[in-house]
Amino acid sequence: MSNTGVVDMESQKQVLERVRGAFRSGVTLPVKFRLTQLEAMMSLFEDNETLILEAMHKDLAKPKFEAVLSEIDMVVNDLCYTISNLQSWIQPTYVGTNLATKLDDCFVRREPLGVVLIIGAWNYPLQLILSPLIGAIAAGNCAILKPSEISRATEKLLSELIPKYLSQECYAVICGGAEETKTLLENRFDHIFYTGSQSVARCILQAAAVHLTPVTLELGGKCPCLIYGRLDMKAAAKRLVWAKFFNAGQSCVAPDYVLCTAETRDMLLPFVKEALDSFYGSEPQQSPDMGRIVTDRHWDRLVELLKKSEGKIVIGGESDKKTRYIAPTVLVDVKESDALMQEEIFGPILPILIIKSLDEGINFINEREKPLALYAFSDESQVVTTVLERTSSGGFCSNDGIVHMSLSGLPFGGVGASGMGNYHGRWGFETFSHKRGCMLRGWGLERVNVLRYPPYTESNLSWLRWATTSKKKGWAGCSVM
Amino acid sequence: MSREQQAVQQARKAFLTGRSKPLDYRIKQLQNLKRFIKEKTTDINNAMRNDLHKTANATQLFEILGLEGEINLAVSKLTEWAAPRPVNKNLLTIADDVYIQPEPLGVVLIIGAWNYPIAVTLQPLVGAIAAGNAAVVKPSEVSSHTAKVMELLPLYLDPEMYQVVTGGVPETQELLKQRFDHIFYTGNSTVGKLVMEAAARHLTPVTLELGGKSPCYIDKNCDIRIACRRITWGKYMNCGQTCIAPDYVLCESSIQDKVINEIQKCIQEFYTNDPKSFADYGRIINQRHFKRIMALLEDSTVAIGGDSDESECYIAPTVLRDVTSGSKVMQEEIFGPILPIITVNGLNEAIQFINEREKPLALYVFSPSKKVIKQMISETSSGAIVANDCLVHFTISDLPFGGIGNSGTGCYHGKYSFDQLSHLRSCLIKKLNMEGVNQMRYPPHTTKKLRWARILLLKQVNLARWRQVAQVAMLAALAAFVGQSRCFMVNGRMSCRFSRTDAPPSDERYDKRGCLVLMFRDVTALELRSVPLF
């Protein structure tokens, strides 16, 4: 439907050939080149902050604060971290050897994969495409970027700015919708990085299987938020509300629904209302800090979910199609079978489900697909530990929401239906690298090699067994005699 | 319900009991696996003899030794591998616990291969057990005797947690319809694609240990005699049926004859003049592969060997000379005792030849020159690269063993096995206190709040350095409150003295109010671009 920068199949092939040629030329191998590109990306942000904020606003009515923190600063932070550390990351890591190979050089080299495809999403349209790109560039790859066609202003901005700042030979932006993406996926890539939904992810995996292309999938799911035991309700409510309604609930790691006892719910609700009032005022639609739903279609889906839900709206519920606004909404008396519990909400709607015990809450979570993030709020550390130990999720955060994403040291990714692989910081570099085992042997000591040649004898076997056994605890294992 | 469905269900049920989580359980299972190998040595040796014409010593040397090493390593290192791994924090989370917790994935499907049936089926199982998973093991039906021995595993391991499903293609297909949390496949690229496609339906991650044609370049300046000894050993072991066997040789025409002569000498030394009657020379696994390999000889010139006996699936150690890139033997992975020699005009042409083809699982370069080796490493791509030998990188547990492109995805051995079959879960453990600090991120948003948020929420800090700062800052705050201390910065090192008599050195960052202010001053002065990390 969109005509902005749609590249037809012929041009797609030309772009791919150009980028592959660039990779083959070896231009991305030197660290200097990679650092130059990363610094250029830094300049892209420094020079265009206003344009970026405008695009965010056009696409999602993103409040400046959110756009700055989650789109600009997060990526710039990753850039700084990568630029500062790249030299050390690319150094070969030497490994221990067994006695039979003591005189050899054994090390692991991180090498580029080749040409990688990065498919972005619309909810954090800049971050979700440029943050993976940092890892791809750092690892020495060339890349094709396919921004989401739903966040059109960002798509347009990227197709203008990327060629302006980064090497046009090595990095290209290809725009288009589902059809163009499908065509693009028929080509062979050395890695595909996709952020989006599970259904599309299956298609991508199937396309990747044809070429045995490895993939990273950053998907979503329903991120549960368990609130249990003794806790500071006011603080919990604030953090929960902040995490939930950030970007109008359109975050893959937003707390999707709450599980708590009836008593907790009753104590929590007034604080939730208080937090919402303090954040967005009594009329959130007037607050510049409340985001909007990305498209009419997505707005329709959410409003439909609200209609179908059998829960009771206790906060919010208002909506306005013209501005694609949905008020921060909280529902109670929501059952497992409710419409809101059948799919990832991805909007400013928070259902609260009642549990009678911690066990019930944990079982509820475990009966469902593994989520991208799992939250547990409690002042009792035993509760937090129990939830952590008895569940599985991409990431886990206690007593807060979303913020674990901002730590470059933590791998960001899912498990099971919420995804495979991870990135951020060094993890992005590793994702887009091939760990090549290297062993450089000498020419001497051929006599030692005799032990392994046929005819295979018992005595040779014993010698080799002794010489190649892994180090036992406390054994230095250096000297032969 | 099919047998395969039942096996998966049982494994999942066992996993959900949580009994594979404690490290003691995993170590016990690994020790039981070791016992299986030791107590069933005779059965294993016999099976390998029947399947691949391997002698007991060869089996021990090339299958069991490595596996035992992996088990021992996992047992001794498990506590370290499974422990939480702390990471750098930012200023806002400085008081929180931030770490990566390795966790089991769930039920892992391991599809073994027939060429080193014990090693390539059970080494991944070591990783699966160590990482706390349940597993369904599907040994290759082609090495049928070894598959039969593996059916004894349930006598040693927790039979519900670790299921063995034997069978052929239909059984494998039925297994692949089920949902797993990871699939570990060793085999060829064709089936690899089918496995990946089946996994796609359930969004299951895969590790594919495939193969390809592993090139072997011989520099004309090297010690050809030694090079040929090592190449001969690597090539004809297991009758060439090794995923990392040197598939073909690239060398200059001036040394081709010498290479052939030396290999001839080695073959005689290792396998005698009559390899067919020599116990330590193997056989082709079955008739189908025998026919396949023999067909590859059709359009090439035999320099050594070439004879065969279909009734025994015997193919002599064979070398082909002056092979062209278009010949049959260069169209697929040989996986047999045929060594084609292709002549090239030096290293650059060799590299070009290699790069025109799919990325191999292993690459071998024989040269006395570090320059040559360095060039080969930097201008090619492969799963692994070995200079001046063949195969031995397989024995180093700390080297990741895996392919790239057509030769595979993912890697294992040692800790890599553990990590490959774990989920590395990011954990941020916060408390509900210090809520005051969070104020800057809540709406309504102001410019001032934004500035603070940018600093505290996102600045990455090196834990080692800032922990010291934060701890001393807190100490200073406490002490300053009590009025007993002074803290100051000397040459970038934080110092806190508790005596009033200490005079602070003249340092421009020193402030009478103590280092707490110092920390925030430093923080606000930090430019976005210059976050110090070391």
Side-chain angles (χ1 to χ4, degrees), chain A residues 73 77 113 202 239 369-370 388-389 393 396 398-400 411 436-437 439 441 446 452 456, chain B residues 21 105 179 201 230 280 359 377 382 385 387 389 423 425-426 428 430-431 435 441 454 458:
Chain A
D73 277 15
N77 200 49
L113 298 169
R202 279 190 188 88
R239 297 175 187 193
E369 293 294 348
K370 295 175 188 176
L388 181 57
E389 285 175 0
S393 61
F396 177 88
S398 68
N399 296 319
D400 212 331
R436 192 181 194 188
M439 188 167 179
R441 305 212 72 191
E446 182 59 11
R452 76 189 196 203
Y456 305 126
Chain B
K21 260 204 152 177
L105 291 168
R179 186 178 180 183
R201 265 177 259 133
R230 299 176 181 186
D280 284 329
K359 296 174 187 179
I377 294 179
S382 60
I385 182 162
D389 211 332
H423 168 53
R425 188 183 195 186
S426 296
L428 171 57
K430 299 192 74 170
K431 299 250 184 322
E435 182 55 12
R441 77 188 199 201
R454 289 181 100 152
L458 293 173

Side-chain angles (χ1 to χ4, degrees), chain B residues 398-516:
Chain B
D398 287 343
L399 282 179
F401 185 78
I404 178 176
N406 243 38
S407 52
T409 172
C411 61
Y412 72 128
H413 281 183
K415 189 178 179 203
Y416 291 103
S417 298
F418 178 87
D419 282 357
Q420 187 81 173
L421 297 174
S422 295
H423 168 53
L424 299 177
R425 188 183 195 186
S426 296
C427 298
L428 171 57
I429 310 298
K430 299 192 74 170
K431 299 250 184 322
L432 281 166
N433 56 10
M434 301 243 292
E435 182 55 12
V437 188
N438 274 353
Q439 284 306 120
M440 90 226 42
R441 77 188 199 201
Y442 299 144
H445 301 309
T446 64
T447 313
K448 186 172 166 191
K449 274 193 193 178
L450 180 56
R451 201 159 140 261
W452 271 106
R454 289 181 100 152
I455 290 160
L456 285 175
L457 202 64
L458 293 173
K459 285 261 184 302
Q460 294 302 307
V461 289
N462 178 282
L463 181 65
R465 182 202 257 215
W466 286 106
R467 177 188 275 157
Q468 199 185 13
V469 169
Q471 283 174 350
V472 175
M474 285 180 222
L475 268 174
L478 178 64
F481 189 66
V482 179
Q484 291 295 318
S485 82
R486 279 186 187 160
C487 291
F488 44 87
M489 199 95 147
V490 180
N491 296 328
R493 292 173 68 88
M494 196 63 77
S495 178
C496 195
R497 304 278 165 88
F498 286 89
S499 160
R500 276 185 199 272
T501 58
D502 285 329
S506 54
D507 180 322
E508 59 180 9
R509 283 180 292 179
Y510 174 69
D511 182 289
K512 285 199 179 93
R513 282 184 294 172
C515 80
L516 186 64

Side-chain angles (χ1 to χ4, degrees), chain B residues 37-38 42 53 56 103 160-161 166 208 227 239 244 247 291 293 296 303 330 376 415-416 434 445 461 515:
Chain B
I37 297 166
K38 285 216 142 55
T42 315
H53 202 261
E103 297 184 343
E160 289 164 351
M161 192 71 75
T166 48
L208 304 174
C239 220
I244 44 172
D247 188 276
K291 288 193 172 105
I293 298 167
L296 296 177
M330 289 306 291
M376 184 62 97
K415 189 178 179 203
Y416 291 103
M434 301 243 292
H445 301 309
V461 289
C515 80

Side-chain angles (χ1 to χ4, degrees), chain A residues 29 39 46 49 65 68-69 73-74 77 80-81 84-85 95-96 98 101 107-109 111 113 188 190 198 201-202 205-206 208-210 212-214 217 219 231-232 235-236 238-239 242 278-280 289 369-370 374 377 379 388-389 391-400 403-404 406-411 414-416 420 427 434-444 446 449-450 452-458 461 464-465 468 470 473, chain B residues 21 57-58 60-62 65 68-69 76 87-90 93 98-100 103 105 179 181 189 192-193 196-197 200-201 203-205 208 210 222-223 226-227 229-230 233 270-271 278 280 358-359 363 366-368 373 377-378 380-389 392-393 395-396 398-400 403-406 409 416 423-433 435 438-445 450 454 457-458 460 528-529 533-534:
Chain A
L29 294 179
E39 306 257 355
E46 283 170 1
E49 187 159 310
F65 182 94
V68 164
L69 268 194
D73 277 15
M74 264 202 72
N77 200 49
C80 291
Y81 188 71
S84 307
N85 289 288
V95 304
N98 54 39
T101 50
F107 55 93
V108 180
R109 257 174 66 104
E111 300 182 345
L113 298 169
R188 187 177 183 181
D190 300 294
Q198 286 168 21
R202 279 190 188 88
L205 260 184
Q206 262 154 4
V210 172
L212 286 172
T213 303
L217 301 174
L219 311 176
L231 70 152
D232 177 345
K238 276 196 139 162
R239 297 175 187 193
W242 178 79
S278 83
F279 290 179
Y280 306 113
D289 297 324
E369 293 294 348
K370 295 175 188 176
L374 211 162
F377 281 78
D379 270 330
L388 181 57
E389 285 175 0
T391 59
S392 181
S393 61
F396 177 88
C397 180
S398 68
N399 296 319
D400 212 331
V403 287
H404 63 293
S406 68
L407 297 165
S408 287
L410 285 178
V415 65
M420 58 179 80
W427 301 94
H434 167 57
K435 288 195 280 287
R436 192 181 194 188
C438 304
M439 188 167 179
L440 309 186
R441 305 212 72 191
W443 290 91
E446 182 59 11
N449 273 356
V450 165
R452 76 189 196 203
Y453 296 146
Y456 305 126
T457 64
E458 288 278 348
L461 177 60
L464 267 175
R465 179 168 247 136
T468 58
S470 309
K473 263 191 200 157
Chain B
K21 260 204 152 177
N57 286 336
Q60 291 299 306
L61 203 53
F62 303 120
L65 204 61
E68 268 181 16
S76 70
V87 301
N88 283 353
K89 310 181 189 182
N90 61 23
T93 50
V98 187
Y99 58 92
I100 298 164
E103 297 184 343
L105 291 168
R179 186 178 180 183
D181 300 292
S189 310
K193 289 178 185 169
M196 206 170 153
E197 213 188 315
R201 265 177 259 133
L203 289 174
T204 302
L208 304 174
L210 309 176
C222 77
D223 184 334
I226 293 184
R229 285 172 72 77
R230 299 176 181 186
W233 172 75
F270 296 165
Y271 305 112
F278 186 61
D280 284 329
E358 292 294 346
K359 296 174 187 179
L363 211 166
F366 284 82
S367 175
I373 294 171
I377 294 179
S378 55
T380 61
S381 179
S382 60
I385 182 162
V386 182
N388 306 324
D389 211 332
V392 286
H393 61 295
T395 67
I396 311 290
D398 287 343
L399 282 179
I404 178 176
N406 243 38
T409 172
Y416 291 103
H423 168 53
L424 299 177
R425 188 183 195 186
S426 296
C427 298
L428 171 57
I429 310 298
K430 299 192 74 170
K431 299 250 184 322
L432 281 166
N433 56 10
E435 182 55 12
N438 274 353
Q439 284 306 120
M440 90 226 42
R441 77 188 199 201
Y442 299 144
H445 301 309
L450 180 56
R454 289 181 100 152
L457 202 64
L458 293 173
Q460 294 302 307
L528 216 57
R529 292 195 62 163
L533 287 161
F534 289 103

Side-chain angles (χ1 to χ4, degrees), chain B residues 73-365:
Chain B
L73 186 67
V75 166
S76 70
K77 294 279 192 176
L78 189 57
T79 313
E80 186 192 307
W81 292 350
R85 305 174 190 181
V87 301
N88 283 353
K89 310 181 189 182
N90 61 23
L91 287 168
L92 197 63
T93 50
I94 209 127
D96 307 318
D97 279 337
V98 187
Y99 58 92
I100 298 164
Q101 178 61 58
E103 297 184 343
L105 291 168
V107 182
V108 176
L109 171 64
I110 299 170
I111 302 177
W114 53 259
N115 58 337
Y116 292 87
I118 296 285
V120 305
T121 313
L122 297 185
Q123 277 193 23
L125 180 61
V126 171
I129 296 174
N133 300 293
V136 174
V137 177
K138 174 38 207 105
S140 169
E141 72 281 11
V142 179
S143 46
S144 54
H145 298 91
T146 319
K148 202 109 192 90
V149 175
M150 280 199 241
E151 281 178 341
L152 300 171
L153 271 172
L155 296 174
Y156 290 81
L157 304 179
D158 181 334
E160 289 164 351
M161 192 71 75
Y162 312 105
Q163 304 268 345
V164 178
V165 175
T166 48
V169 171
E171 286 79 8
T172 310
Q173 283 173 336
E174 180 64 21
L175 272 176
L176 284 169
K177 284 192 193 138
Q178 314 309 318
R179 186 178 180 183
F180 292 94
D181 300 292
H182 196 100
I183 299 178
F184 194 111
Y185 169 76
T186 306
N188 65 59
S189 310
T190 314
V191 177
K193 289 178 185 169
L194 297 173
V195 170
M196 206 170 153
E197 213 188 315
R201 265 177 259 133
H202 297 292
L203 289 174
T204 302
V206 300
T207 304
L208 304 174
E209 295 279 331
L210 309 176
K213 294 180 79 61
S214 298
C216 180
Y217 175 70
I218 307 177
D219 180 352
K220 68 172 188 244
N221 298 318
C222 77
D223 184 334
I224 296 179
R225 187 187 70 89
I226 293 184
C228 289
R229 285 172 72 77
R230 299 176 181 186
I231 293 170
T232 305
W233 172 75
K235 178 66 184 188
Y236 300 107
M237 180 192 298
N238 205 27
C239 220
Q241 297 162 118
T242 310
C243 46
I244 44 172
D247 188 276
Y248 63 96
V249 158
L250 293 166
C251 68
E252 287 189 40
S253 55
S254 57
I255 60 165
Q256 187 178 204
D257 287 330
K258 179 130 203 264
V259 166
I260 292 171
N261 282 336
E262 290 297 336
I263 293 180
Q264 173 96 71
K265 282 188 213 158
C266 291
I267 290 173
Q268 275 173 330
E269 184 189 331
F270 296 165
Y271 305 112
T272 75
N273 279 329
D274 184 15
K276 192 173 174 189
S277 54
F278 186 61
D280 284 329
Y281 187 71
R283 293 291 184 270
I284 303 304
I285 185 76
N286 60 25
Q287 297 258 322
R288 182 169 71 85
H289 279 282
F290 173 90
K291 288 193 172 105
R292 177 188 67 80
I293 298 167
M294 290 309 292
L296 296 177
L297 293 175
E298 276 164 24
D299 53 359
S300 295
T301 313
V302 172
I304 303 173
D307 39 301
S308 60
D309 181 347
E310 189 167 337
S311 64
E312 275 191 47
C313 288
Y314 165 79
I315 300 178
T318 302
V319 174
L320 306 172
R321 64 175 299 136
D322 300 313
V323 176
T324 60
S325 60
S327 55
K328 280 194 172 157
V329 76
M330 289 306 291
Q331 303 318 310
E332 60 183 80
E333 186 177 357
I334 298 167
F335 227 65
I338 317 279
L339 183 65
I341 301 179
I342 297 179
T343 54
V344 287
N345 290 326
L347 180 63
N348 289 329
E349 197 181 311
I351 290 177
Q352 199 185 344
F353 189 94
I354 291 167
N355 286 343
E356 279 164 5
R357 285 158 178 71
E358 292 294 346
K359 296 174 187 179
L361 187 53
L363 211 166
Y364 302 109
V365 50

